[in-house]
């Protein structure tokens, strides 16, 4: 009782929306990953009524989450790594985050997220965006997520109603287009196509595996489609690289990374988890692009909403992080290339 009272008086609640990647997951398995806690710790939190789903306490550890659910808990329940290894967010971290803002009003923040920033909490030893925002906002909602190693567009709502509206559009899929740019190792056999391969996420190695359509089993393997088109090819020393224009239709965790590596056999540049091969040329290239930092050459480049629920008040808006064009009720948001992408293109074009 004392611990619960202490938490409620000193900390704020986090609301975590459930997307396709965790639809059908058990609440306990989701929390093990999201809170970075053991199975026993998660079971105790659930039994003690510390976890809410859609504003209702959940005490069944086998409760199945579905897309659109919102899991809520006190932020202090999220276990962090050794504080000697993990930096504490401060005003400088917030100032760096502000440099990523493409657009902000009283309802939303749109970021052109840099490589290396996590869009959710967890065990990684670097800053994550929710921790930084927690210093300055009592309530905010990450509408969707990007891998820590990926750069690009990330939308954050400043109130629950707007978060619900934008989440609904994302879930319906018919009213949103999400496009990415990737630089991959090698060349594709076909210049343009649709990858339609279901995925199964292995929680042990935190990695997706592609399966054939006939192996699709309800509640286990999840459908995933990614369209691609080769827009440029480069040769750099003894290596070939291709630039791909991509569109995803489901948005599963690591969907693009798994599809490009396992189906096209062209892993994303520097994505060692999904099969990228570090030759001497590639290691030298990574050092030139990232130095001691980490990242992969994948960027969430463009989002198009057919009916955006927030009034932007401008038909055209632009800053160093990207552009927004609004016509009638259609809103097109496009990020500028990250510094790492710009550096890579300059090197490859020499």
């Amino acid at each position: 009782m004392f611990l619960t009272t202490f938490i409620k008086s000193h900390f704020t609640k986090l609301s975590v929306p459930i997307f396709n990647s965790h639809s059908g997951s058990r609440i306990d398995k989701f929390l093990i990953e999201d809170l970075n806690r053991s199975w026993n710790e998660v079971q105790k939190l659930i039994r003690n009524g510390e976890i809410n789903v859609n504003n209702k306490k959940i005490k069944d550890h086998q409760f199945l989450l579905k897309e659109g659910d919102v899991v809520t808990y006190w932020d202090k329940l999220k276990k962090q790594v050794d504080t000697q290894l993990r930096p504490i967010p401060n005003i400088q971290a917030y100032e760096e985050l502000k440099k990523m803002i493409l657009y902000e009003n009283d309802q939303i923040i749109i970021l052109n997220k840099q490589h290396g920033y996590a869009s959710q909490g967890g065990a990684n030893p670097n800053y994550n965006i929710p921790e930084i925002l927690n210093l300055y906002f009592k309530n905010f909602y990450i509408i969707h997520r990007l891998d820590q190693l990926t750069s690009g567009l990330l939308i954050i709502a400043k109130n629950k109603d707007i978060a619900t509206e934008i989440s609904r559009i994302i879930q319906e899929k018919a009213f949103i287009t999400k496009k990415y740019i990737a630089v991959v190792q090698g060349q594709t056999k076909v210049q343009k196509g649709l990858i339609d391969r279901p995925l199964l996420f292995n929680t042990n190695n935190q990695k997706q595996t592609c399966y054939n359509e006939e192996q699709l089993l309800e509640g286990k393997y999840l459908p995933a489609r990614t369209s691609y088109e080769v827009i440029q090819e480069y040769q750099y020393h003894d290596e070939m690289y291709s630039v791909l224009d991509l569109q995803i239709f489901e948005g599963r965790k690591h969907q693009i990374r798994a599809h490009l590596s396992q189906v096209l056999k062209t892993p994303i540049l520097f994505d060692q988890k999904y099969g990228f091969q570090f030759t001497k040329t590639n290691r030298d290239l990574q050092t030139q692009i990232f130095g001691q930092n980490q990242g992969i050459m994948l960027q969430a480049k463009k989002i198009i909403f057919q009916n955006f629920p927030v009034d932007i008040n401008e038909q055209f808006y632009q800053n160093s992080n990207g552009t927004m064009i609004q016509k009638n009720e259609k809103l097109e948001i496009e990020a500028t290339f990250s510094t790492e992408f710009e550096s890579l293109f300059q090197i490859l074009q020499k």
Side-chain angles (χ1 to χ4, degrees):
M1 180 62 73
F2 171 77
L3 177 60
T4 301
T5 303
F6 178 82
I7 289 174
K8 290 182 178 179
S9 62
H10 286 75
F11 303 103
T12 59
K13 278 193 172 182
L14 294 180
S15 295
V16 183
I18 299 301
F19 303 105
N20 282 330
S21 57
H22 288 109
S23 181
S25 298
R26 280 173 31 172
I27 184 68
D28 55 355
K29 292 183 177 181
F30 169 79
L31 290 171
I32 289 170
E33 176 185 348
D34 196 61
L35 296 179
N36 188 32
R37 287 191 174 274
S38 68
W39 187 88
N40 286 334
E41 289 175 320
V42 164
Q43 301 304 311
K44 186 175 181 180
L45 291 174
I46 294 173
R47 288 196 304 270
N48 291 344
E50 299 289 350
I51 307 301
N52 287 7
V53 176
N54 302 329
N55 295 321
K56 295 181 179 179
K57 289 184 179 180
I58 298 298
K59 293 194 175 183
D60 178 7
H61 70 277
Q62 296 186 350
F63 178 86
L64 295 180
L65 296 167
K66 62 180 184 299
E67 189 176 4
D69 285 344
V70 177
V71 180
T72 307
Y73 51 77
W74 296 104
D75 60 352
K76 194 61 178 179
L77 297 181
K78 188 183 290 288
K79 187 177 181 181
Q80 309 295 357
V81 296
D82 191 333
T83 55
Q84 292 182 343
L85 299 177
R86 191 183 191 87
I88 300 173
N90 51 29
I91 185 63
Q92 183 178 354
Y94 183 63
E95 291 300 321
E96 290 299 315
L97 184 69
K98 285 168 63 177
K99 295 177 183 178
M100 306 179 206
I101 294 176
L102 192 161
Y103 179 82
E104 181 178 10
N105 63 17
D106 61 347
Q107 294 182 306
I108 60 168
I109 302 173
I110 301 175
L111 297 179
N112 185 357
K113 185 184 82 68
Q114 296 178 5
H115 303 274
Y117 280 79
S119 57
Q120 65 186 70
N124 73 81
N126 301 314
Y127 291 135
N128 63 65
I129 290 172
E131 283 183 335
I132 298 172
L133 290 177
N134 266 334
L135 299 176
Y136 300 95
F137 295 96
K138 289 186 177 181
N139 297 301
F140 65 89
Y141 302 84
I142 306 281
I143 304 297
H144 59 114
R145 299 180 182 185
L146 290 178
D147 293 341
Q148 180 182 348
L149 300 180
T150 302
S151 64
L153 296 173
L154 186 69
I155 301 176
I156 300 164
K158 293 183 177 180
N159 66 69
K160 188 174 182 179
D161 290 340
I162 291 300
T164 300
E165 280 297 303
I166 300 177
S167 295
R168 179 184 56 79
I169 294 172
I170 293 174
Q171 291 158 19
E172 289 178 355
K173 300 179 182 65
F175 302 102
I176 185 173
T177 302
K178 293 184 286 185
K179 294 193 172 184
Y180 289 70
I181 292 287
V183 181
V184 300
Q185 185 177 32
Q187 297 172 286
T188 64
K189 292 182 180 179
V190 180
Q191 294 282 297
K192 183 178 181 180
L194 175 69
I195 303 169
D196 188 355
R197 295 286 290 275
L199 299 170
L200 177 64
F201 191 74
N202 187 326
T203 55
N204 292 325
N205 63 14
Q206 296 293 295
K207 184 177 176 180
Q208 291 278 17
T209 302
C210 297
Y211 287 85
N212 295 321
E213 188 64 33
E214 59 267 21
Q215 294 174 296
L216 180 62
L217 300 175
E218 184 177 357
K220 191 172 183 181
Y221 305 101
L222 296 174
R225 296 168 298 156
T226 304
S227 69
Y228 73 94
E229 181 176 3
V230 178
I231 57 177
Q232 188 63 269
E233 293 178 332
Y234 295 100
Q235 181 169 355
Y236 180 71
H237 297 322
D238 54 345
E239 292 282 350
M240 289 296 302
Y241 305 110
S242 303
V243 183
L244 304 186
D245 185 22
L246 304 154
Q247 180 176 343
I248 58 173
F249 299 93
E250 281 76 27
R252 310 296 183 195
K253 186 172 185 177
H254 296 184
Q255 176 176 327
I256 293 174
R257 298 168 67 179
H259 274 172
L260 296 188
S261 174
Q262 298 173 27
V263 180
L264 294 189
K265 309 302 180 184
T266 54
I268 295 172
L269 205 57
F270 313 133
D271 190 3
Q272 193 170 10
K273 179 184 283 286
Y274 284 91
F276 179 75
Q277 298 299 310
F278 274 103
T279 62
K280 182 180 185 304
T281 296
N282 290 329
R283 289 194 183 280
D284 291 344
L285 191 58
Q286 184 190 42
T287 300
Q288 291 182 69
I289 301 301
F290 285 103
Q292 298 300 314
N293 298 321
Q294 291 185 318
I296 62 175
M297 301 316 299
L298 176 64
Q299 180 170 24
K301 194 71 171 61
K302 183 183 291 187
I303 301 178
I304 302 172
F305 290 91
Q306 297 300 324
N307 187 3
F308 196 62
V310 177
D311 189 0
I312 300 300
N313 295 323
E314 296 185 62
Q315 290 187 335
F316 179 81
Y317 179 85
Q318 183 178 33
N319 66 15
S320 60
N321 287 303
T323 59
M324 295 198 308
I325 300 174
Q326 185 175 216
K327 189 172 183 180
N328 299 325
E329 293 183 337
K330 182 179 178 180
L331 179 67
E332 182 175 310
I333 311 167
E334 183 167 5
T336 54
F337 280 116
S338 68
T339 301
E340 291 79 10
F341 263 93
E342 294 284 3
S343 298
L344 176 64
F345 290 144
Q346 288 179 10
I347 293 170
L348 296 181
Q349 290 168 2
K350 290 180 181 179

